[in-house]
Amino acid sequence: QVQLVESGGGSVPAGGSLRLSCIESRYTYRSYCMAWFRQVPGKEREAVAAIREDGTPVYRDSVKGRFTISRDSAKDTLYLQMNSLTPEDTAMYYCAAARSQGGSRFLSFGGCTYNYWGQGTQVTVSS
């Protein structure tokens, strides 16, 4: 039903910034919630930020005040602006969409359950 393609990852020093992008290719209705998750090897995938259909953002506590999620509906693109990065932010970042049918790896955050995933983009922050 939908394909998600992330970009914008890279390597930055602590205190630096990155902006991730995710283009949603779909053939039907727009996903009603979208989010960013991240994962490091050996750990569970965790939610970072989400944006609901009405535009309301939700953040995990550790990124509040540093990360900003936004959505350009005209371009079917999701963004994550990340500022004041720390080594603890190092991870593979995944774009996720919540849709009513299909998908896999169901994870919930901020009132939505995400079931479609991109391939990920690596973010590495050096100390």
Side-chain angles (χ1 to χ4, degrees):
Q1 292 189 17
V2 64
Q3 287 187 325
L4 304 171
V5 180
E6 304 97 334
S7 62
S11 297
V12 296
S17 298
L18 284 172
R19 188 175 83 152
L20 306 184
S21 299
C22 170
I23 297 176
E24 178 189 18
S25 299
R26 56 182 174 85
Y27 300 96
T28 57
Y29 58 91
R30 189 181 70 187
S31 302
Y32 51 92
C33 297
M34 294 194 73
W36 291 97
F37 285 70
R38 65 187 181 189
Q39 188 171 21
V40 297
K43 293 190 176 181
E44 296 291 320
R45 189 169 295 188
E46 63 182 22
V48 176
I51 189 163
R52 299 172 180 152
E53 189 173 22
D54 63 1
T56 303
V58 183
Y59 299 97
R60 72 178 297 109
D61 287 345
S62 63
V63 307
K64 287 180 180 178
R66 300 189 298 123
F67 291 10
T68 302
I69 189 170
S70 61
R71 187 175 187 177
D72 186 334
S73 298
K75 297 181 179 179
D76 284 337
T77 302
L78 180 72
Y79 301 100
L80 184 68
Q81 177 66 44
M82 305 186 295
N83 299 327
S84 302
L85 285 162
T86 73
E88 289 68 37
D89 295 315
T90 295
M92 184 72 78
Y93 282 70
Y94 296 91
C95 176
R99 300 181 68 83
S100 60
Q101 295 180 331
S104 62
R105 194 171 194 146
F106 296 82
L107 294 175
S108 296
F109 178 70
C112 293
T113 298
Y114 298 89
N115 52 342
Y116 283 85
W117 304 88
Q119 293 300 306
T121 185
Q122 178 67 37
V123 171
T124 303
V125 184
S126 58
S127 58

